[in-house]
């Protein structure tokens, strides 16, 4: 009888533990998930930057969830970085990268490429970006292109970056945004505002802040499609709500469109509506 009772307790306790762990991950995602992390579920919005008031919460819950989630381990690195604990951030990203997190590979690559908190090593940065790019991470692709040719001696290869982004853009909002930028600028191939706008629209539908800001600009200017001031404002407002600084500035320009300057051309004031 006693053994049956213990078995029932253990069966009931296991789901409770799983739910507690899941709650840790939910809270970690809420305050520290990266919007561009390919590991992030579609229903998790993420935050461009971890708010200072959320750093302690992020460290606590991401640390608890990190034992069984590489996404949480990566987010823990973000939380440490936001708290200026660079060594701890790098250690967390290294663990997440070892578990296959392409987002962590990118952050480690950036650290090696810039020498931030670790000895500068462009060769190691390149390896990490290559591995992330092969996993379909759009930031890995764009950073790899920015490093240039073998050994860092040659020019960047935007053609290759555009091809890699094309594959990743089938499913990834960040890749759609990055490829849209390349198409809108004519980088790595022909300039195509219509295709760029379509990509921005796809990423904007997934609440990508940068894509929302670009859709606002394209709608405001009539690039790649119809000109629509009201739609532009709506896109800017959505992007600004997600923390996009360019969108906030664009909204201010819409509100105060006229600039008054003195004889030297210096701004004196703006006229707002």
């Amino acid at each position: 009888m006693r053994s049956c009772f213990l078995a029932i307790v253990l069966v009931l306790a296991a789901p409770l533990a799983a739910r507690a762990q899941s709650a840790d991950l939910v809270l970690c995602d809420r305050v520290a998930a990266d919007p561009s992390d390919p590991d992030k579920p579609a229903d998790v919005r993420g935050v461009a930057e971890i708010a200072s008031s959320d750093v302690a919460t992020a460290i606590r819950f991401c640390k608890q969830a990190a034992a069984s989630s590489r996404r949480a381990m990566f987010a823990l690195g973000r939380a440490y970085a936001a708290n200026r604990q660079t060594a701890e951030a790098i250690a967390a990203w290294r663990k997440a990268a070892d578990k296959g997190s392409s987002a962590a590979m990118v952050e480690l690559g950036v650290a090696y490429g810039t020498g931030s908190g670790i000895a500068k090593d462009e060769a190691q940065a390149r390896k990490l970006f290559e591995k992330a790019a092969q996993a379909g991470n759009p930031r890995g692709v764009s950073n790899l292109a920015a490093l240039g040719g073998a050994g860092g001696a040659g020019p960047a290869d935007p053609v290759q970056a555009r091809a890699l982004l094309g594959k990743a853009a089938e499913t990834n909002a960040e890749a759609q945004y990055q490829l849209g930028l390349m198409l809108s600028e004519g980088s790595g191939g022909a300039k195509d505002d219509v295709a760029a706008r379509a990509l921005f629209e796809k990423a904007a539908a997934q609440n990508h802040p940068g894509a929302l800001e670009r859709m606002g600009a394209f709608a405001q200017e009539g690039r790649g499609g119809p000109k629509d001031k009201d739609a532009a404002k709506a896109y800017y407002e959505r992007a600004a709500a997600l923390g996009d600084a360019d969108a906030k500035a664009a909204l201010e320009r819409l509100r105060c469109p006229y600039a008054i300057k003195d004889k030297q051309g210096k701004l004196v004031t703006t006229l707002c509506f």
Side-chain angles (χ1 to χ4, degrees), residues 13 17 24 41 50-51 53 60 71 112 120 129 147 149 156 165 185 195 201 219 221 238 241 243:
D24 291 334
I50 300 175
S53 57
R60 176 186 174 187
R71 183 171 85 252
Y112 275 113
K120 188 172 182 179
F129 292 149
L147 274 183
L165 282 171
E185 297 165 0
E201 190 169 18
E221 300 165 14
R238 287 174 61 192

Side-chain angles (χ1 to χ4, degrees), residues 173-227:
E174 178 67 16
Q176 290 159 6
Y177 169 66
Q178 293 289 347
L179 183 56
L181 289 178
M182 295 194 78
L183 288 167
S184 69
E185 297 165 0
S187 176
K191 184 176 180 179
D192 190 337
D193 279 350
V194 174
R197 183 165 177 157
L199 285 163
F200 290 144
E201 190 169 18
K202 284 183 180 180
Q206 299 168 70
N207 285 323
H208 187 290
L212 285 164
E213 185 277 331
R214 284 294 81 203
M215 275 303 299
F218 271 50
Q220 184 179 0
E221 300 165 14
R223 286 183 64 181
K227 189 173 184 178

Side-chain angles (χ1 to χ4, degrees), residues 92-113:
W93 287 331
R94 197 181 299 282
K95 289 178 182 177
D98 288 342
K99 293 180 180 180
S101 169
S102 62
M105 295 171 197
V106 172
E107 293 301 338
L108 270 180
V110 170
Y112 275 113

